[in-house]
């Protein structure tokens, strides 16, 4: 896992969604390979939660939808990230936000190392 991705995940898991977006975007701009869309998916999800936190549920749903869709190509894992879990959790959050229900907590991005045997 590269340093930008690791830092982006740390920021995401701390609820620092705008900074997460900035850090992941640095990696995305430089990426020319297959990981470009993966990084973009995480950026969309991060921006979605940023919008939600700023009181913009429509923007949140739109960004989460984009990110969830783009993650499909990277299931169930990519770069050590449990993409299946974040996709599932982002989808559940998107549905709640879409109904106007509040989120009890933001999802976390987990890695294979976070899983217990």
């Amino acid at each position: 896992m590269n340093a930008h991705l690791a830092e982006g995940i740390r920021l995401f898991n701390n609820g620092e969604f705008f900074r997460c977006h900035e850090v992941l975007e640095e990696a995305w701009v430089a990426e020319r390979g297959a990981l470009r869309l993966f990084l973009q998916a995480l950026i969309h999800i991060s921006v979605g939660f940023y919008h939600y936190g700023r009181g913009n549920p429509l923007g949140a749903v739109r960004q989460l939808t984009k990110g969830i869709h783009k993650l499909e190509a990277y299931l169930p894992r990519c770069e050590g990230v449990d993409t299946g879990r974040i996709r599932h959790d982002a989808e559940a959050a998107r549905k709640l936000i879409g109904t106007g229900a509040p989120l009890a907590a933001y999802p976390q991005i987990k890695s294979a190392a976070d899983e217990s045997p």
Side-chain angles (χ1 to χ4, degrees):
M1 180 180 300
N2 75 41
H4 280 97
L5 180 57
E7 177 64 3
I9 290 170
R10 186 190 70 74
L11 291 165
F12 184 98
N13 289 343
N14 286 334
E16 297 178 55
F17 301 114
F18 187 79
R19 282 284 302 132
C20 171
H21 150 265
E22 290 180 324
V23 167
L24 292 179
E25 194 169 80
E26 286 179 36
W28 174 79
V29 166
E31 180 62 46
R32 295 291 176 247
L35 294 180
R36 189 169 169 85
L37 194 62
F38 168 67
L39 293 168
Q40 192 175 44
L42 295 180
I43 291 166
H44 283 302
I45 291 171
S46 182
V47 171
F49 290 122
Y50 174 74
H51 278 296
Y52 175 76
R54 304 269 303 167
N56 179 4
L58 182 58
V61 167
R62 286 179 178 162
Q63 290 296 316
L64 289 170
T65 299
K66 289 177 188 179
I68 291 163
H69 176 73
K70 288 176 181 172
L71 268 184
E72 292 293 325
Y74 300 94
L75 298 176
R77 293 197 183 349
C78 182
E79 291 294 297
V81 172
D82 185 344
T83 54
R85 181 170 178 172
I86 190 59
R87 188 206 170 280
H88 173 271
D89 294 349
E91 176 64 21
R94 185 189 65 81
K95 287 179 181 176
L96 276 176
I97 294 168
T99 66
L103 294 181
Y106 290 105
Q108 298 282 289
I109 296 176
K110 302 290 184 181
S111 69
D114 294 330
E115 296 176 6
S116 51

